[in-house]
Amino acid sequence: MTEISKKRGFVYLIGAGPGDPGLITVKGRDCIGKADVILYDYLANEHLLTYAAPHAELIYAGKVGGVHNREQWQINELLVEKALEGKVVARLKGGDPFVFGRGGEECETLVASGIPFEIVPGVTAGIGAAAYAGIPLTHRDFTTSVAFVTGHENPGKEASDIDWERLSLGSGTVVFYMGIKNLPLIAQNLMAHGRSAETPVALIRWGTRPEQEVLVGTLADIADKARKAAFKAPAITVVGNVVTLRDKLRWFDNRPLFGKGVLVTRAADQAGEFSRLLAGYGAQVFECPTIRIVPPESFDGLDGAIASLPSFAWLIFTSCNAVSSFFTRLHDRGLDSRAIGPCRICAVGPKTAAALSTYGIIADLVPADYKAEGVIEAFRSLDMNGKRVLFPKADRARDLIPTELQKMGAEIEAPVAYRNVIPEALPSEALQALEERRIRCITFTSSSTAQNLAAMLGENRLLNLLEGVTIASIGPITSRTCRELGLPVDIEPPAYTLEALTGEIVRHFT
Ligand code: SAH
């Protein structure tokens, strides 16, 4: 990349892509991270701002209540002003900056002011939205060309700059941007200049996003259909026989959880995997951590156990957090996995076993039933009399395992290895989605997630916000906690894994 001249500042004109934040380019993401100032648009997904440096100044240059809050000349001036202060400016624009984005004009201003810049292209809405609607813009059996056309121009004006004749003749696909308001006139013009009234048309609103809406019709009826459906901008209009391929190639907006808001209440550092599973089925996932994992108030108990590790016959882990907090402490004390020696290891389920394997350890025992009861059952067939057992646990863990193992004659030590605490606040995005009834399903993956949410919201607000929301719980213990809180459980998988829970949610909504 061009050497950045600190004195004169620098501007990156970046295409943010059509909406799905995964469609930003690698270079675009890097440039966002370098910027001191980010000037972003209405159509650029705000999620991309998470790549910004902590010190970056974020300026919204988009629409407020449907009208632009800054005129184009004001945006141009702001770009120049910030760059002249010596800042690195990222101008983040929806789609591609040079496709109907007025990026050309912004660039001309920079040239006039002698400000160095780079253009980072993006996936333009026409390409992105069509792909996510399952419409190939060209296809050998249908057409060999595609045109991107503004639909913003009033097609009724006396001398149109658009060559309607050429667009209408032949079989070329035509993609209109900003054309929803003018849809009746666009359709009329194409038909008047020779395109068949039967030509298929697709309107794609908020393409590539979980809110994507697609309306299909023909040149003859699409305007009427759009009016009846109150179809609104921002949307592109795809005209051409390729639209029929959607029936076969649709892949994004027909997934079982498409567009459904699902709330994930796990701790922030654990939510990712679950969120990805759900998003894979098209869910609009809102992460709303109700748990924060922190070290114990005192390490005395755990340290004492670590000092006498050779005396234990068994080590039991009932969560990935227990594994990571135990081994982190081991490492902090200058030890590694060898310190466990011949001690045998029990993991409550496959996830915990997988967490152990990252420390080079293969669990000796994984019960068939992935919960505390399953662990106890598994130990019943073993001779536990007089055996020392170490069970590093969470501060609020149930006493079931220690009590039952003691009954079998084992000598158990259960030091607190980590604590689950309640975060200070819920993310405003998740809360807003709940308030606006955009959440269809809430997931609880442990009793604490439900208890903490209740503690954070208060009983009345909890019941009120979750009214009509499908409640998915990972297993019977969590379900019992939910019911005690007054929350009826709708979904509980047969196995206590995230995959099984996701599977049951998909089944519920199919
Ligand atoms: N530079 C942008 C276009 C800006 S013009 C790009 O390359 O995509 C604004 C128009 O783009 C909107 O009116 C709409 O027609 C289209 N558009 C932008 N994002 C869109 C999306 N996610 N889905 C459908 N159309 C979109």
Side-chain angles (χ1 to χ4, degrees):
M1 280 176 221
T2 316
E3 195 48 43
I4 294 169
S5 141
K6 264 288 169 200
K7 257 200 351 256
R8 292 251 293 313
F10 198 92
V11 176
Y12 292 110
L13 214 61
I14 305 168
D20 176 346
L23 293 177
I24 181 99
T25 62
V26 174
K27 185 167 178 179
R29 189 181 64 189
D30 289 347
C31 293
I32 293 172
K34 284 187 203 171
D36 304 308
V37 181
I38 299 174
L39 204 65
Y40 64 102
D41 255 8
Y42 166 61
L43 290 168
N45 193 319
E46 288 197 14
H47 178 83
L48 296 173
L49 299 175
T50 58
Y51 300 126
H55 77 275
E57 180 188 1
L58 309 177
I59 304 173
Y60 179 61
K63 290 182 183 178
V64 178
V67 289
H68 289 282
N69 77 337
R70 277 194 174 82
E71 297 290 334
Q72 187 62 46
W73 64 266
Q74 290 173 310
I75 294 172
N76 297 353
E77 274 192 359
L78 199 58
L79 280 176
V80 171
E81 182 192 311
K82 293 289 179 186
L84 289 180
E85 286 171 18
K87 302 226 164 95
V88 175
V89 184
R91 171 73 175 117
L92 196 56
K93 299 171 74 69
D96 178 272
F98 276 5
V99 179
F100 302 125
R102 305 191 69 169
E105 291 156 60
E106 291 177 16
C107 245
E108 284 175 318
T109 316
L110 298 175
V111 171
S113 310
I115 293 163
F117 62 88
E118 271 188 35
I119 316 292
V120 184
V123 176
T124 185
I127 303 278
Y132 277 52
I135 301 172
L137 293 179
T138 71
H139 186 293
R140 288 207 298 180
D141 298 341
F142 293 86
T143 180
T144 51
S145 69
V146 54
F148 289 165
V149 182
T150 173
H152 194 51
E153 189 194 61
N154 181 352
K157 81 178 183 189
E158 233 167 80
S160 170
D161 290 330
I162 297 170
D163 188 342
W164 290 100
E165 188 105 21
R166 281 180 71 174
L167 283 181
S168 306
L169 297 174
S171 64
T173 305
V174 191
V175 180
F176 290 94
Y177 287 63
M178 305 169 281
I180 295 302
K181 221 167 77 204
N182 285 330
L183 193 59
L185 292 164
I186 288 172
Q188 262 170 36
N189 254 332
L190 288 170
M191 289 186 288
H193 288 86
R195 208 34 103 90
S196 155
E198 295 313 308
T199 310
V201 181
L203 309 181
I204 310 163
R205 175 170 200 254
W206 284 129
T208 80
R209 298 192 183 223
E211 302 93 324
Q212 175 172 301
E213 278 174 62
V214 179
L215 185 67
V216 176
T218 61
L219 277 181
D221 66 16
I222 193 70
D224 214 30
K225 278 185 161 179
R227 189 180 46 77
K228 285 190 181 129
F231 202 91
K232 291 194 185 69
I236 56 153
T237 305
V238 183
V239 180
N241 290 329
V242 286
V243 168
T244 56
L245 286 163
R246 171 172 160 83
D247 290 339
K248 238 196 296 185
L249 305 184
R250 195 172 167 188
W251 63 273
F252 175 67
D253 50 10
N254 58 352
R255 292 174 302 166
L257 300 180
F258 176 76
K260 297 193 170 65
V262 179
L263 208 71
V264 169
T265 55
R266 315 196 83 197
D269 49 351
Q270 290 189 311
E273 186 201 352
F274 191 26
S275 301
R276 272 191 297 279
L277 276 170
L278 291 163
Y281 288 100
Q284 183 172 13
V285 180
F286 293 86
E287 288 188 2
C288 181
T290 54
I291 291 184
R292 216 155 57 86
I293 308 295
V294 296
E297 265 160 8
S298 155
F299 275 112
D300 290 351
L302 190 59
D303 285 349
I306 287 174
S308 58
L309 267 178
S311 71
F312 290 101
W314 279 95
L315 232 169
I316 301 176
F317 293 103
T318 54
S319 72
C320 297
N321 288 321
V323 172
S324 60
S325 39
F326 176 81
F327 283 96
T328 303
R329 190 61 187 168
L330 206 63
H331 290 184
D332 288 350
R333 312 215 9 136
L335 296 168
D336 63 24
S337 304
R338 288 170 299 177
I340 292 165
C343 184
R344 305 190 72 198
I345 310 242
C346 168
V348 70
K351 284 280 139 57
T352 308
L356 280 165
S357 72
T358 63
Y359 297 96
I361 287 169
I362 301 173
D364 299 288
L365 183 64
V366 181
D369 192 16
Y370 310 145
K371 57 183 200 289
E373 284 79 355
V375 171
I376 292 158
E377 235 11 78
F379 276 105
R380 279 202 202 289
S381 56
L382 303 172
D383 174 16
M384 295 308 290
N385 202 22
K387 299 270 159 61
R388 275 175 54 76
V389 177
L390 176 57
F391 173 41
K393 59 166 195 171
D395 56 337
R396 288 190 284 160
R398 292 187 299 153
D399 279 332
L400 197 67
I401 289 179
T403 316
E404 291 301 315
L405 282 172
Q406 255 155 22
K407 283 189 200 158
M408 296 177 209
E411 197 185 306
I412 185 143
E413 258 185 58
V416 173
Y418 65 98
R419 287 179 300 142
N420 288 326
V421 300
I422 301 182
E424 258 142 49
L426 297 170
S428 56
E429 213 194 17
L431 211 51
Q432 196 179 345
L434 269 173
E435 276 161 0
E436 292 170 1
R437 307 273 160 208
R438 283 185 283 128
I439 302 293
R440 292 285 300 279
C441 177
I442 184 164
T443 61
F444 294 111
T445 45
S446 67
S447 289
S448 313
T449 55
Q451 285 157 340
N452 292 4
L453 186 69
M456 293 176 86
L457 289 173
E459 192 183 339
N460 281 344
R461 190 135 181 260
L462 175 80
L463 297 183
N464 182 291
L465 286 178
L466 295 190
E467 201 191 320
V469 176
T470 300
I471 294 176
S473 143
I474 191 135
I477 311 287
T478 306
S479 298
R480 198 177 64 205
T481 306
C482 287
R483 285 190 282 264
E484 280 164 11
L485 292 165
L487 302 172
V489 174
D490 304 290
I491 297 171
E492 187 192 294
Y496 318 130
T497 63
L498 297 176
E499 286 80 4
L501 181 57
T502 307
E504 279 303 297
I505 295 172
V506 169
R507 237 161 54 106
H508 180 92
F509 283 103
T510 309

